[in-house]
Amino acid sequence: MTVDQIVGGAIWVQLLILLAAIVFAIFEGLFVLTGGRRSFSTRRRLGMAAIACLAVVPVVTPYLMTTSYAASVNATDVVVSQVLNGNLSLSAQEMSALLAMKTQWLDQMSTGGSIVAQVLIAAFAAGFVMRGIYLTINIGRIRRAISAGRVVQRTKWVSVVVSPAVDVPFSTRGVLRYYVVLPRSLFRDGAGVKMALGHEMQHIRQGDVDAEVLLSLISPLAVLNPGFWFLSSRLRKLGELACDRAYLARKGFDAHGYALRLLEIARFSQAQAKAQPTAFGVPLVGRKIPFLSRRSMLKDRIVEIARDQDDPAKEALVLGAGMSVLMAGVVLLGAVSLTEPEDWSHERIMLSTVANLDRLNELNTLAQRSW
């Protein structure tokens, strides 16, 4: 595999993540417009479907590229076809120049042959290293919290640990086991332990912990991709809203007391928590929303808890399943359209021929004028 192929593949992956985020945003917006705004679990499944598409597409795309279907949906070939049909106000030479610029840009990214390419490479490398350091610090914090604690309950897959090294309950996982880590200061409060344990176990059941670990692992590769951060922030927020609703419905816990405990723990953690893990796990009070604060997340959660008491919402499972399948098809179609074909298509051959004929015509015209 050449450097050009590696760089081209990396750019394709970044475009694919951005595409999945845009498609998810559109479909989630359509879902909200059809009356499903409060279907948090179903909307979360839409986001999980988008993430699943990102995992499946690299495996499926090579097989699809060998079919005639791929050539008919390739984005570049579609644009070239429109130019040849006269539907776009571009000449064959101008379109050829644009395609050449694309090739030159990929070469510059592969070799660092321009200042812009060097800046982008340096920014990605710096972001990758900083994100790697951040994740390493958090792995150390999680290991320290578990090793400094005491296992008070152990099942086949989950260990409950009481630790003096944390101030906010959180759940995480290792290679084979899940862990729910509770602060030692909370363990004296029986009702608080019950609430925190039930909440974190719900996160484990609905797959939020697995999703968080996966997002943390791939985050260094998408550190500069706004689509990744949009997807991850939406999944976290929807996961918290769905978890609150599922826990309160299953346990029958007092919603008012539950909301007050969330605020109390969040207030304490903001003032005291210094070595709290912020990656590879799901904290009880949720994560901060980018450019806002943790309070924004808590405000939305408490408002929705109150609304659920007055007007319980139902999940639109059938509609959500249909939209997930349709969204997966759109992402797959977009992925194939962004893939560069190995051989020249009929459209590109025709474009090259027309561009060469135009150049010959210009040369003949200049030669006649010189006489």
Side-chain angles (χ1 to χ4, degrees):
M1 184 175 290
T2 65
V3 176
D4 289 344
Q5 290 175 326
I6 295 174
V7 172
I11 294 174
W12 178 74
V13 169
Q14 299 299 324
L15 290 175
L16 184 59
I17 293 173
L18 190 60
L19 171 68
I22 293 173
V23 172
F24 168 68
I26 293 172
F27 273 74
E28 190 187 24
L30 293 174
F31 194 81
V32 170
L33 291 175
T34 56
R37 191 195 70 79
R38 295 177 61 202
S39 298
F40 305 125
S41 181
T42 307
R43 288 167 61 192
R44 177 185 166 276
R45 289 193 186 97
L46 280 176
M48 295 299 291
I51 297 293
C53 287
L54 295 177
V56 171
V57 161
V59 179
V60 176
T61 301
Y63 297 98
L64 292 179
M65 290 303 296
T66 61
T67 65
S68 57
Y69 162 81
S72 62
V73 299
N74 182 267
T76 303
D77 288 345
V78 170
V79 175
V80 169
S81 177
Q82 294 300 310
V83 170
L84 293 174
N85 291 330
N87 297 326
L88 293 177
S89 57
L90 286 174
S91 67
Q93 293 187 58
E94 291 172 337
M95 188 64 204
S96 296
L98 289 176
L99 294 178
M101 286 176 59
K102 175 184 174 183
T103 303
Q104 292 171 3
W105 185 74
L106 287 175
D107 291 339
Q108 290 175 359
M109 291 297 298
S110 302
T111 60
S114 68
I115 295 178
V116 174
Q118 293 171 6
V119 170
L120 288 175
I121 293 171
F124 178 81
F128 182 87
V129 172
M130 292 176 64
R131 187 67 184 175
I133 294 173
Y134 168 79
L135 294 178
T136 302
I137 291 173
N138 277 273
I139 291 174
R141 288 177 175 177
I142 291 173
R143 291 174 61 89
R144 192 179 308 115
I146 294 175
S147 61
R150 176 171 58 92
V151 177
V152 296
Q153 186 176 350
R154 184 183 180 92
T155 64
K156 183 178 180 181
W157 299 109
V158 182
S159 294
V160 180
V161 180
V162 176
S163 175
V166 296
D167 300 298
V168 178
F170 73 95
S171 52
T172 185
R173 70 161 301 158
V175 177
L176 298 176
R177 298 190 63 77
Y178 294 95
Y179 296 90
V180 176
V181 183
L182 304 175
R184 188 166 62 185
S185 58
L186 180 68
F187 202 65
R188 293 186 292 269
D189 180 2
V193 170
K194 180 182 177 182
M195 186 268 283
L197 184 59
H199 181 91
E200 295 305 325
M201 290 297 293
Q202 179 61 34
H203 274 307
I204 293 173
R205 276 190 290 270
Q206 67 186 31
D208 291 334
V209 175
D210 296 318
E212 181 59 41
V213 171
L214 178 61
L215 289 171
S216 297
L217 288 173
I218 66 177
S219 63
L221 299 176
V223 67
L224 298 182
N225 195 315
F228 170 80
W229 297 111
F230 170 78
L231 271 175
S232 59
S233 64
R234 294 301 297 159
L235 281 176
R236 286 165 181 154
K237 182 173 182 178
L238 291 170
E240 290 293 345
L241 293 171
C243 184
D244 290 338
R245 176 180 293 168
Y247 174 71
L248 288 174
R250 182 171 46 84
K251 291 290 184 180
F253 200 87
D254 174 52
H256 181 262
Y258 179 80
L260 289 178
R261 286 189 178 277
L262 283 178
L263 289 173
E264 181 182 353
I265 293 173
R267 189 183 302 114
F268 178 79
S269 68
Q270 192 170 13
Q272 302 292 333
K274 301 298 182 183
Q276 185 77 27
T278 53
F280 292 109
V282 183
L284 177 66
V285 294
R287 296 185 179 278
K288 293 181 180 180
I289 300 175
F291 308 112
L292 297 175
S293 68
R294 181 180 285 118
R295 280 184 240 172
S296 301
M297 171 78 80
L298 280 173
K299 176 183 175 181
D300 290 342
R301 290 173 65 182
I302 291 171
V303 168
E304 293 302 334
I305 288 171
R307 285 177 178 170
D308 280 344
Q309 305 312 305
D310 298 331
D311 182 22
K314 294 183 179 180
E315 298 289 338
L317 298 178
V318 176
L319 178 61
M323 294 187 73
S324 295
V325 173
L326 182 59
M327 185 181 67
V330 173
V331 172
L332 184 60
L333 174 65
V336 174
S337 69
L338 292 173
T339 304
E340 192 72 21
E342 295 182 0
D343 299 324
W344 275 40
S345 63
H346 173 74
E347 285 78 7
R348 296 197 190 190
I349 293 174
M350 289 293 296
L351 178 71
S352 178
T353 302
V354 173
N356 289 332
L357 290 174
D358 288 343
R359 293 191 191 97
L360 287 175
N361 184 52
E362 290 179 0
L363 291 175
N364 290 333
T365 302
L366 290 174
Q368 291 174 1
R369 289 178 181 176
S370 65
W371 284 99

